[in-house]
Amino acid sequence: MTTTAPRPLVIGGLAAGTINPVGQTLALTERSLRGMLRQGEFVLGIVAPVMLTICFYVPLRSIFDAFPGVNYAQFLMPVILLQSVGFVATSAAMRAATDGSAGITDRLRSMPVNAVIPMLARLVANAILLVISLFWAVVSGLVIGWRPEHGLIYMAGFLGVAFVVGLLLALGADAIGVVASNPEATSQALALPQLILGMLSTGFVPEASFPEWIRPFARNQPISQFTELMRAFDNGRVTWDVAQAPLIWAGSVAVLAVAGGAYVIVRGARR
């Protein structure tokens, strides 16, 4: 009697018996990138910074007529970058939630794949989208008149703050998307905080432009603090006093993002 051997499980073109963590990560990263390409996320990663720049700079620059000597493009540039990385975070959450609602997350849990690898692969894909979005935000800023004036080190710090914040937000948003497994709810949950923190920040207008009763919130909330640190790098005047509060906020976001990622990994390993 002839028996047919079971077909090996295949992931990313590799048989389950031959794959390794690096191969799994690369295969799942490629899958994420292909999905992002099909969904037009790379196009949005280019269009979003450009449109944000136009929508913020054109109507708001007249406000700075009351502040002689202030280059509004230079003032606005940090929040353009931060809003661009916010788009990447929302995209990360939506993609993770879509995978959950489509059953992809559960399917991967049934495979011989370490629980950390799907999240790591999505993070790598999100980092690539983040770089694309930041690049086009920089191009848009150069078009409206922003200029890096204090050398490569300060420019690297300026962009590095946006990249690190974007990576932490993408990690946390990914965890939210996995847990929610509901693209619509995830989108609503992330859109409102971004809108409130963005509009009530010193990214668009100086603190003095806000009513006195809300100035403490506008000054101390995370978007404003990250913005001020980026301006310090942009102006070549970074001090510990300027960096302390943003670092505390970044550390807090990192703790929440890592805790969310750990929860997703542990939950996936138990199933």
Side-chain angles (χ1 to χ4, degrees):
M1 180 175 179
T2 303
T3 59
T4 303
R7 296 179 64 186
L9 180 64
V10 175
I11 302 174
L14 298 174
T18 62
I19 57 178
N20 55 56
V22 174
Q24 291 178 332
T25 303
L26 291 175
L28 290 176
T29 300
E30 181 184 2
R31 175 191 172 274
S32 292
L33 293 174
R34 288 180 180 276
M36 292 159 69
L37 185 62
R38 286 195 303 271
Q39 297 298 322
E41 290 185 48
F42 291 121
V43 174
L44 290 175
I46 296 171
V47 172
V50 174
M51 295 306 298
L52 286 169
T53 303
I54 294 172
C55 292
F56 294 150
Y57 180 74
V58 173
L60 295 177
R61 63 178 176 176
S62 61
I63 296 174
F64 270 65
D65 292 342
F67 299 91
V70 177
N71 181 341
Y72 189 52
Q74 215 76 22
F75 183 90
L76 186 65
M77 189 61 184
V79 82
I80 290 176
L81 291 175
L82 291 174
Q83 291 291 315
S84 297
V85 303
F87 154 78
V88 175
T90 301
S91 177
M94 291 287 291
R95 199 178 324 111
T98 300
D99 279 356
S101 65
I104 301 298
T105 302
D106 289 336
R107 174 60 176 153
L108 287 173
R109 287 170 180 159
S110 70
M111 292 180 170
V113 179
N114 189 291
V116 74
I117 288 177
M119 177 168 282
L120 177 60
R122 291 194 301 270
L123 187 63
V124 173
N126 290 330
I128 293 172
L129 182 61
L130 183 60
V131 169
I132 292 172
S133 186
L134 288 175
F135 174 81
W136 283 98
V138 168
V139 170
S140 301
L142 291 172
V143 170
I144 64 173
W146 169 77
R147 295 293 182 270
E149 299 173 340
H150 297 279
L152 291 176
I153 293 177
Y154 283 106
M155 184 178 178
F158 177 78
L159 296 175
V161 172
F163 182 80
V164 170
V165 170
L167 209 58
L168 292 175
L169 291 178
L171 178 60
D174 181 90
I176 292 172
V178 172
V179 172
S181 295
N182 185 320
E184 293 77 14
T186 301
S187 176
Q188 294 170 7
L190 293 178
L192 188 59
Q194 286 190 45
L195 178 63
I196 293 174
L197 292 177
M199 293 298 102
L200 294 179
S201 76
T202 57
F204 299 104
V205 295
E207 180 187 336
S209 300
F210 289 96
E212 285 192 22
W213 61 271
I214 203 171
R215 287 179 189 174
F217 174 81
R219 178 176 62 252
N220 294 304
Q221 56 113 322
I223 298 299
S224 294
Q225 290 297 322
F226 294 141
T227 296
E228 294 306 321
L229 178 58
M230 292 175 69
R231 285 189 183 130
F233 275 109
D234 200 30
N235 295 330
R237 294 194 297 269
V238 182
T239 65
W240 173 246
D241 289 340
V242 174
Q244 187 175 9
L247 287 175
I248 292 173
W249 274 116
S252 301
V253 173
V255 168
L256 292 174
V258 171
Y263 171 76
V264 168
I265 291 169
V266 170
R267 190 180 75 162
R270 289 176 177 174
R271 291 192 177 185

